[in-house]
Amino acid sequence: MELSNEQLLQIDNYIFSCGIKYCDVRTEIVDHFANILEEKLAKNPTLNFKQEIKNIHRNFSDKGFNKLLKEKTKSVHKKFYKQSFKHLITFFKLPKIIITGVLSYGLFLIMNFINDKENFFFWTYTFLLFLIVRIFYQSFKTKKQQKERFLVLNKTNNFLQLFNVIFISFNFLTNLRSDESFLNPIHNNIQLSVFILLLLFYWSGENIFYQNKKMVKEQYPNVSI
């Protein structure tokens, strides 16, 4: 017995009230509940629908939906990083290696044009800080605009955490260097390479995010994202 839209909405509202705020996660759970309920209603059409939803929830797991959400979040973030690193590798293959080469050469020229290398790396540090602020702003703007939240688009916390760790490491590396080190071309080139990798990683993460956003728009055309 196929469930009506009203019954599906009833399941969705119940799952939402249980703390599952992400639309994509709720959709999976609704499908799971719907399959079970369709089988039960086929055998017993007079089944108490609301009560049966609660019964299925109780049988779902000892921790309800929390365990599922935790596992799903871990899986989504793992997939996001895997895709981001995979995209990062493309910057070292044709044709994107041309972009990497132009970016590297341009920054190399700027670095050598500036006599005060410590000042140059201070500005690279400032630019990375700007990117972190941008991630925060993007997250705030997205949450404000979205009528529905999607786990697959909730990259901010983990992406920011990882990017922030690398950013702090970059800053630590800059502060650790002595005046003599800033006069050493090899040391400067190594730190410049780290900065370029950070930029490309950020670029990759943003690319995957917008790919996921496009995918969500196709799957949920009636939802404002």
Side-chain angles (χ1 to χ4, degrees):
M1 179 179 178
E2 189 173 346
L3 300 184
S4 65
N5 290 334
E6 184 180 347
Q7 288 173 317
L8 291 172
L9 182 60
Q10 194 173 338
I11 300 171
D12 186 81
N13 289 336
Y14 174 81
I15 295 169
F16 183 87
S17 68
C18 292
I20 305 298
K21 309 302 181 184
Y22 297 112
C23 183
D24 45 348
V25 179
R26 286 205 315 275
T27 300
E28 288 189 23
I29 300 175
V30 168
D31 288 342
H32 178 73
F33 272 51
N35 290 334
I36 297 174
L37 285 165
E38 284 174 356
E39 291 179 6
K40 288 180 177 289
L41 285 170
K43 296 177 182 178
N44 182 11
T46 61
L47 193 72
N48 187 320
F49 192 79
K50 289 184 178 180
Q51 184 58 45
E52 196 57 35
I53 292 175
K54 295 178 181 178
N55 292 339
I56 297 172
H57 184 197
R58 278 197 293 266
N59 296 329
F60 201 77
S61 71
D62 295 336
K63 297 182 179 179
F65 299 127
N66 292 333
K67 184 179 179 181
L68 173 69
L69 182 60
K70 189 175 181 180
E71 290 175 352
K72 188 67 179 176
T73 301
K74 185 178 179 181
S75 174
V76 167
H77 288 154
K78 184 178 179 181
K79 183 179 179 181
F80 175 79
Y81 288 127
K82 186 177 180 180
Q83 290 175 323
S84 296
F85 282 113
K86 188 176 181 180
H87 188 270
L88 176 63
I89 293 172
T90 64
F91 282 105
F92 300 94
K93 298 178 181 179
L94 286 172
K96 287 186 179 179
I97 195 171
I98 298 173
I99 297 174
T100 307
V102 171
L103 176 65
S104 301
Y105 185 65
L107 288 172
F108 177 77
L109 290 178
I110 294 172
M111 181 181 70
N112 287 324
F113 179 77
I114 298 174
N115 292 325
D116 189 345
K117 298 298 185 288
E118 186 174 1
N119 189 45
F120 169 78
F121 285 111
F122 168 78
W123 284 110
T124 59
Y125 161 84
T126 303
F127 185 73
L128 292 177
L129 183 61
F130 165 76
L131 293 182
I132 290 178
V133 173
R134 186 181 182 278
I135 295 173
F136 270 119
Y137 173 74
Q138 184 187 55
S139 174
F140 173 77
K141 184 179 178 182
T142 300
K143 287 179 180 178
K144 195 173 182 180
Q145 291 177 342
Q146 280 182 346
K147 291 183 179 179
E148 288 281 4
R149 295 173 63 190
F150 292 86
L151 180 60
V152 73
L153 299 181
N154 189 38
K155 72 175 176 65
T156 306
N157 291 337
N158 281 268
F159 183 69
L160 181 61
Q161 186 178 17
L162 178 60
F163 195 80
N164 195 39
V165 168
I166 302 173
F167 165 75
I168 292 172
S169 301
F170 183 85
N171 184 42
F172 176 76
L173 176 64
T174 304
N175 293 331
L176 192 66
R177 295 181 63 186
S178 62
D179 292 338
E180 291 78 13
S181 176
F182 284 109
L183 296 174
N184 189 316
I186 295 177
H187 293 176
N188 292 333
N189 289 335
I190 290 174
Q191 187 165 354
L192 180 63
S193 299
V194 173
F195 174 70
I196 292 169
L197 276 173
L198 274 172
L199 288 182
L200 295 178
F201 175 67
Y202 174 82
W203 190 343
S204 298
E206 287 294 290
N207 183 274
I208 298 303
F209 172 76
Y210 283 106
Q211 283 183 22
N212 289 340
K213 192 172 183 178
K214 182 180 178 182
M215 177 191 68
V216 170
K217 283 183 177 180
E218 292 174 352
Q219 292 179 349
Y220 302 87
N222 298 323
V223 177
S224 177
I225 300 173

